[in-house]
Amino acid sequence: MSFGGFLGLGEQYHPLPWATLKYDTRQQGYVVGITIDQLRQAPTIAADQTPAWGDRAYESSLHAYYQAKPYWAA
């Protein structure tokens, strides 16, 4: 998810655990239940970076921040 910036400049990218996404058939898209304040404080990456998926410590920190149940604990 991206947030902030203007015309694509200065945007911040926020990797989200899948567990934070809920598909809304009425809106035909995913919605997240996080506040603007949570998003402002959330972990970010640069536009040219790739999230460290597969790095359990990194993924654990994201799941902890969003209070989402990790997929490996399902």
Side-chain angles (χ1 to χ4, degrees):
M1 169 191 294
S2 66
F3 176 74
F6 179 72
L7 297 175
L9 300 173
E11 280 185 320
Q12 296 177 340
Y13 290 82
H14 302 274
L16 299 172
W18 278 107
T20 63
L21 304 173
K22 305 293 182 231
Y23 190 79
D24 184 330
T25 55
R26 189 171 42 91
Q27 295 186 43
Q28 297 183 355
Y30 287 95
V31 295
V32 293
I34 56 177
T35 67
I36 292 293
D37 289 333
Q38 287 174 306
L39 193 57
R40 286 188 178 124
Q41 302 289 325
T44 62
I45 58 171
D48 62 346
Q49 287 182 306
T50 300
W53 302 128
D55 177 341
R56 191 54 53 93
Y58 175 75
E59 290 183 7
S60 292
S61 69
L62 287 177
H63 283 81
Y65 179 81
Y66 291 107
Q67 299 176 356
K69 185 176 181 178
Y71 63 89
W72 60 86

